[in-house]
Amino acid sequence: MDLELTQEQLSFRAEVRAWLAENLTGRFESLKGRGGPGDEHYAVDLRMDWNRVMGAAGWNCIGWPKQHGGRAVPLMEEVIFNEEYVRAGGPGRIGHIGETLLGPTLIHFGSAAQQQKYLPGIVDGSEIWCQGYSEPNAGSDLANIQTTAELKDGKWVIHGQKIWTSLAPWADYCFVLCRTDKSAQKHKGISYLLVPMRQPGITIVPIEQITGGSEFAEVFFDGATTDEDNVVGAVNDGWRVAMGTLAFERGASTLAQQQQFQKEFDLVVAAAKRNGASKDPVLRQRIADAWIGLKIMRLNALRTLSVDSTELGREASFAKLYWSNWHRDFGELAMEVLGAESELALPPAEHGPYELTTLQKSFLFARSDTIYAGTNQIQRNIIGERALGLPREPR
Amino acid sequence: MDLELTQEQLSFRAEVRAWLAENLTGRFESLKGRGGPGDEHYAVDLRMDWNRVMGAAGWNCIGWPKQHGGRAVPLMEEVIFNEEYVRAGGPGRIGHIGETLLGPTLIHFGSAAQQQKYLPGIVDGSEIWCQGYSEPNAGSDLANIQTTAELKDGKWVIHGQKIWTSLAPWADYCFVLCRTDKSAQKHKGISYLLVPMRQPGITIVPIEQITGGSEFAEVFFDGATTDEDNVVGAVNDGWRVAMGTLAFERGASTLAQQQQFQKEFDLVVAAAKRNGASKDPVLRQRIADAWIGLKIMRLNALRTLSVDSTELGREASFAKLYWSNWHRDFGELAMEVLGAESELALPPAEHGPYELTTLQKSFLFARSDTIYAGTNQIQRNIIGERALGLPREPR
Amino acid sequence: MEFRFTEDQNELRSQARRFLAAESTAAHVDKAMKTELGYDPDVWARVAGELGWPGLVIPEAYEGIGLGQLDLHPLLEEMGRHVFCAPFFSTVCLGANALLVAGTTAQKQAHLPAIAAGELTATLGYRGPSAPALAEGASAVTLVAEERAAGFTLTGDVSYVVDGHSAGLLIVAAWVGDESSGELGLFALPGDTAGLTRTYLPTMDQTRRLASLRFDGVQLDKDARLTGMEGGRALSVILDLAAVGLAAEQVGAAEACLDMAVEYAKVRQQFGRPIGSFQSIKHICADMLLKVECARSAAFYASAVAAQLMADMEGGKLTEQKGRELAEAASSAKAYCSDAFFHCAGQSIQVHGGIGFTWEHAAHLYFKRAQSSRALLGSAQHHRERVATLLGLGDEA
Amino acid sequence: MEFRFTEDQNELRSQARRFLAAESTAAHVDKAMKTELGYDPDVWARVAGELGWPGLVIPEAYEGIGLGQLDLHPLLEEMGRHVFCAPFFSTVCLGANALLVAGTTAQKQAHLPAIAAGELTATLGYRGPSAPALAEGASAVTLVAEERAAGFTLTGDVSYVVDGHSAGLLIVAAWVGDESSGELGLFALPGDTAGLTRTYLPTMDQTRRLASLRFDGVQLDKDARLTGMEGGRALSVILDLAAVGLAAEQVGAAEACLDMAVEYAKVRQQFGRPIGSFQSIKHICADMLLKVECARSAAFYASAVAAQLMADMEGGKLTEQKGRELAEAASSAKAYCSDAFFHCAGQSIQVHGGIGFTWEHAAHLYFKRAQSSRALLGSAQHHRERVATLLGLGDEA
């Protein structure tokens, strides 16, 4: 075990830190600490500018292979970048769906033509992607999607409805799971299509969420089209491609998220010191427990990063379950520490009709953490079946 | 709502209290507070004597109809009796399986001959019963029993194995669920037999449990017999009879149990006051929480007792889940309050090789509370399906 | 011994459920919570006029209906169940109770008939904005009442006052002289008293309004002070009564969360079967049921103790013992019901999945209400600590 | 940056698992735990002779193998996994560590080679039987060492001493002069010193022995006092090292509980399917996995910090900062691993159903060990409070 950074890693960190200090200023100052989960629809246009500035300096997609425009840095450097980015207050990455989901999918499953057409826009920060997976009747049971695509005159014609699509109003493209063979069994007959968002036949309806914001949207496809060759992998083999996408996440961003949580934790400690809760032995227990949990989140991620990708340890299987539950419990603790004050939203004069504090947003939004991207229940099934080898439920 | 006792109830209580004060003395003094769950094999012979003394004074089966030897007192009087009994330190009732399970079953489902033959021995305290339900492969899935009974020459001949049978070495009779029609579906073809325990073909093997005691036993039937007419209800209709038995429990003893728990709680409070844990704000929270939980246990039982038996409220559906989880958590709290001292068993000179304190036994035995008589998992299924009407799992 | 609702109480519950199912729908709540007033005055007028609820526990001598705190219980459960936006909790559980506990006959006569008639709303404020987070009751009071020949001068702040920006009658707790005097006084004053500034405070839970009150040397007559009971003791009893009322509300709201979750789990299909057939969802619902019913036991019992105490007080034979019983029952109920409601509101979102955290679905209203109810009148932790003290823990040395 | 076990550590683990799978079976444990000694001396002789484990972290200068605390980690995990009954924890984690931290070169020379050779067992005692339940570390010490010209006279009691009835070498903490002096001393003495009475204490967990020591004016020479580091600081470091070791043990034991439960859930059939296919059981196991791996992260990191600290100390450059890091890591690990092991031991019984609470099945051994490990060296609550203090909570005013 060696928990120290190498000389190369230290100088990489210095480079990242210096660049951010120099560039995340001026008109971008207002973005600091904003645009994360629960806040993804904040100042999108400015964040798109920022995304292009990042791209021009070569900071998008640093882990990608060089031939696809990346820097091919090792995983630990990606971690260091993400940590520095959070430390500097870097805003939620508007291009993250392209960089972490669609890009790796195309690199792995896409044709050379697809790679040439779509990857540069992600790398230079000019094009934004969104994800079209969930549907009203395909949540935990994702394979139950009903959106269809039919090939007509060299184009896929799409009908159906997607839901929980972040950034839909701003995205240039969407990767959409569609049923392309209705006669096939559930997991078969699905194709993975790349669809331009700015066309007739697509209607976007924002979903107002518990915080009053509208990070997510419903996307209705009513005869929207995409070219025949915009299918990733083979036709009717989209399920395998989609599952591949989910496997690309290997913990580099978990550490950045852990650091984001650390910032929220620091806010709670500051509040406790201000209002006297820090002297209360019962709350001290809970604050210490949260701190230990946060530390373990980091250690788990470091373990995940330290194993070869071929032998992903069991500690990777529960990362989502762990952080989402930690964050849910933490939100509750934050409110308890604030006491009566926990109710007070931001004053109406300066802010909108319903503008919450950072900790209130965190408290509320954390309730979705245990639901999206695989509910707690689904996560426990996966851990039980894949990591422990317990038998599946009879279907 | 009226939480006061009536004049009649007050004088009944005085009568019970006076009798116990006069009789639970002398040679029975050593029984005080003993023989409860986890301790049922304690001083069985003396407790059998005590059971006969109780019977002679008319205190066994006071809720039974008069024609069956009871006093036909209302439910609230049963509650009062049980509470006074616990308050006086009355030992675990050695005849409780006969009084609360077999007796009501015979009164409801038995023939007149069966009632005349078996009920008097329960009422006068001379005969002890045990229960033959669970088997190694029929725990949560009770209907999966494999013990068979075949009718030969006017006698049922029994082969198989029962497990978790309390008081087996001392019992005169056992009520045994046997498969009497192997060709029938799982819940059909089961009969409810009354079997004398003192006969060849029955082998009793005590099971040593976590506390070092042996409250339970395995009972092996290897050609044991019982008369043809010792079947309760119709042949092959025993499942219905067995389920009926389980429904007879309506909370009168829950209140006595709550009071038993109150005694354990008082021990913990005394320990906390002695060793300073009572000044610790964190443990104070947990002690208060346990007290509130105990109070609610009592209030739930009072609600159950206050509704007509035909409209059993939902609060009855979770009594087992509630008290077993309370007791489990309480045992853990007890150990935390004791701190380092929690490890110290009783000194070896006076006691056996492994003799635990009351709170240690409670702590350990509570781990079986969430398992026997329907595990937590089964209880939650029952609540979900029966009280809330949620759909059953597809089988 | 009987521990169940009477026929009359069940009838009151049915009446309330009928009315609120029609007049406190999700659309009504959404509309009301976006106004600064926080409720629909027309609906409130009907509540007072047609149903007489504001006068329910006001004695007939003061033109009320003369029922007890126990009869309030089913009503409050239903209000919680429907997230009813109205100044009922503030006016009845805080304001009217304060007058009943601490008012003189003249003071009761002056205000209770108007409250019963629905013409006057009222509330109680006690917490200073600068009070430590964990302080509660008297120890959270920072307002000071200086005694003059002609009356009192009130200076300082009170915050977190339920419906404090709109209530017609304000009752506030203040230290007489200063805090070191240890003498707490309760004062009643009209909402539009000169020198008083009221500020509406936007809250995370928009279904219950809070306000802050600034007293800038407010002059009150001598008879503004409620002298029917010593101020510290009175504040404690009033807050206990309010906590019992809040607990009842929490029970009804928690049950609404359970019911929503169960209904959804029966119809929502995933993997070709209703999600309620999966053990994970089924067991979540089972645990919610347990908490709802345990909460009901605790709150209903507390309501019974509250009813007895009020009866004893009317009969002029209020004992220390009864006050202690109320404290124990109220703190137990508030602690348990707060946690139970919060648990159910959170789990209801979990069972609903994605739609559970949308604004469109009512689940978020309950979740926010659960959080705000938990923080109001002292946290569960505060109430458990109080129970520990009442059990005599820590007294030994 | 690398956070994983090395090849050598994995090899050590495999070796340990092979040996213990053969020599620490359920039958061995059952036999050992029924003796007053608490372990099989023949097996212990083999552990020392064949495997050299007692000398693992003893420097080569003192005839040990010279590995670090980090290499101890996989070994302790395996001992926990097999509920190994042996004086390893007492001799190495308490005794040898105490000498390494606080001993002079002469004292190390006097005892460590014998420990490494397996000829001498050792332990550390600090808690007085009359210390308050929540006191821990120095504040739990009640033994007094009176200073004389020729040495020290020790009077008083030490209890809860792991293997205290059988250890060849006892190291005890005592107040020098009296408690008001604030000066803590550590003293090493042979188990058979005159004036010392040792009493074996039967325990709920029979797999780890406790004893009480009565000092009836025990006379010790001057050089019995360990003077390599100031006593109070040394005790704190030693107890942190021991807590780290205990945490590693807890990880292995927790994983054994998980493995047993999973294996059983795969084969046990009810309702015509393996019980592990039911979500309720599957999710219990998933949560156990999570706790086991999180516990491992916490304990392994703490072992790394312990290894660094020992290396720094050997190099003569131990800083305040490193001591603080160890305290933080040790208390975090002990708090988390205690709760994780207890959780897993309890849930393993639940998954096993009826057989889980029989004496015949090993589940009860783990459950009792989980409870005793939780109580040993300070409760999870104590360690969380310590973390809170280290975070600077409560320092502000």
Side-chain angles (χ1 to χ4, degrees), chain A residues 125-171:
Chain A
S126 63
E127 289 177 349
I128 304 300
W129 286 79
C130 64
Q131 184 188 51
Y133 277 15
S134 295
E135 298 182 7
N137 288 310
S140 290
D141 185 10
L142 183 60
N144 194 40
I145 56 155
Q146 305 297 329
T147 295
T148 59
E150 261 185 298
L151 204 51
K152 277 188 191 160
D153 308 327
K155 292 212 173 246
W156 294 102
V157 183
I158 306 167
H159 287 92
Q161 179 191 358
K162 294 292 175 181
I163 196 169
W164 314 124
T165 305
S166 314
L167 300 174
W170 299 279

Side-chain angles (χ1 to χ4, degrees), chain D residues 189-273:
Chain D
L189 62 155
D192 56 3
T193 303
L196 171 68
T197 313
R198 312 203 279 181
T199 310
Y200 151 69
L201 301 169
T203 44
M204 180 160 61
D205 168 18
Q206 297 175 290
T207 67
R208 179 142 42 211
R209 288 282 170 277
L210 296 181
S212 64
L213 314 177
R214 158 145 295 183
F215 290 79
D216 213 1
V218 170
Q219 307 291 321
L220 298 182
D221 288 346
K222 269 210 167 342
D223 63 2
R225 184 170 180 183
L226 306 187
T227 53
M229 185 188 280
E230 183 273 310
R233 190 179 174 209
L235 180 64
S236 170
V237 172
I238 298 161
L239 292 178
D240 280 340
L241 292 173
V244 173
L246 191 52
E249 240 195 56
Q250 289 171 316
V251 172
E255 188 165 54
C257 294
L258 166 63
D259 291 350
M260 281 193 303
V262 168
E263 284 319 304
Y264 188 73
K266 285 177 183 171
V267 298
R268 169 73 174 171
Q269 302 260 337
Q270 289 284 274
F271 304 104
R273 41 192 267 213

